[in-house]
Amino acid sequence: MNQSKKSIDWSNLGFSYVETDLRFSARWRDGTWSDGELIHSANMQVHEGSPVLHYAQACFEGLKAQSAPNGDVLLFRPDLNCQRMGRTTERLLMPTVPESLFMQGIESVVRANAAWIPPHGSGASLYIRPFLVGVGENLGLRPAPEYEFRVFVSPVGPYYKGGGLSLINLAVIDLDRAAPKGLGAFKAGANYAGGLLATQMAQALGAQEALYLDPSQHRYLEEAGSANIVLKMKDGTIVTPESESILPGVTRISLMTLASDLLGLDTSERPVDFLEEVDDIDEFAACGTAAVISPVGKIRAGDRWYHFHGDGEMIGPTTQKLYDLLTQIQRGEREDTFGWTRAV
Ligand SMILES: *Cc1c(COP(=O)(O)O)cnc(C)c1O
């Protein structure tokens, strides 16, 4: 892939949509998938009765491609995104996207938009958005007659303003993200429209995002609107909240492995009672493909702020180490002993 690059100020990209040249589209109809093809138009034409438009029969994934020093373009654990989409499609009665089609979609779009892949060292990456929607003529509440699987890409910079590794704030809002046996553990579009108001309320309090507690007791930590939580406790252990209503993130599971296998820390996934344990938390971080690992300086809950990372001015050393290890593997700057990256 030595296509020349677009002239973009790569280092100042934010996390927003940039239209690239080509996207991938495949259709499911009468039990079979079409071959799939690269297309030019960023617009989709769908029937007005499409279940995606009325009943949110839609799911998506998110992953990144990054340029390595040797020129390779690396995907990070795309097999896990494919498996997760498989679990979501089952929950939403949508057809499964076969792994071969999922990978064909991703790899062909990345290759076709090589000029849009941020160069190594720019700090930016190519965000990949595979998604599946239920389309076709329908009125009653039932699964769609047809489906479209699409993949588009967009070059992106950091998710939260401030760049690379900057402190963010969260706020506990009196709204739930997901019901205990609802859709929380699935990357279903329906989860995210419901979170917009919580994000807006959190922002009005001076935070970037809402922090959700468990929906039955409002005691235990769940996650932020689009990122999981990883904690470094004062006793040196790494903890991530256990819950059946949080999205099982690829970043989170990878960070837990890095903490145990490369940093030699004790790790556990267990319920975390926020107010009971808040004083035992040293470093609080939000993590996800978009957020990478973002240290949380303070959290608004009730009528006060709780501070982390030594009063919210510095980034904790463990968060910094985890950020370095993860991003070095993703960018091909460090030997990938786990076999997590895949060159396109
Ligand atoms: C996508 C997402 C995450 C992060 O998952 P990754 O696989 O690490 O990108 C966390 N929480 C929610 C609600 C998400 O939608």
Side-chain angles (χ1 to χ4, degrees), residues 60-63 81 84 177 184 186-187 192 223-228 246-252 287-290:
F60 67 98
E61 276 300 327
L63 67 162
N81 295 94
R84 186 167 66 191
R177 171 182 172 274
F186 306 96
K187 234 168 160 72
Y192 302 85
E223 61 175 323
S226 57
N228 294 133
I246 65 176
L247 197 282
V250 175
T251 314
R252 162 176 118 127
C287 64
T289 296

Side-chain angles (χ1 to χ4, degrees), residues 31-69:
T32 44
W33 282 101
S34 69
D35 289 343
E37 57 181 348
L38 289 168
I39 57 174
H40 286 278
S41 178
N43 294 314
M44 290 175 72
Q45 212 177 7
V46 298
H47 191 278
E48 63 187 3
S50 292
V52 61
L53 299 178
H54 305 269
Y55 310 129
Q57 199 187 18
C59 65
F60 67 98
E61 276 300 327
L63 67 162
K64 283 174 173 173
Q66 313 219 38
S67 300

Side-chain angles (χ1 to χ4, degrees), residues 303-315:
D303 51 11
R304 58 161 289 195
W305 288 99
Y306 297 87
H307 294 259
F308 308 94
H309 298 268
D311 260 0
E313 297 300 322
M314 310 254 297
I315 290 156

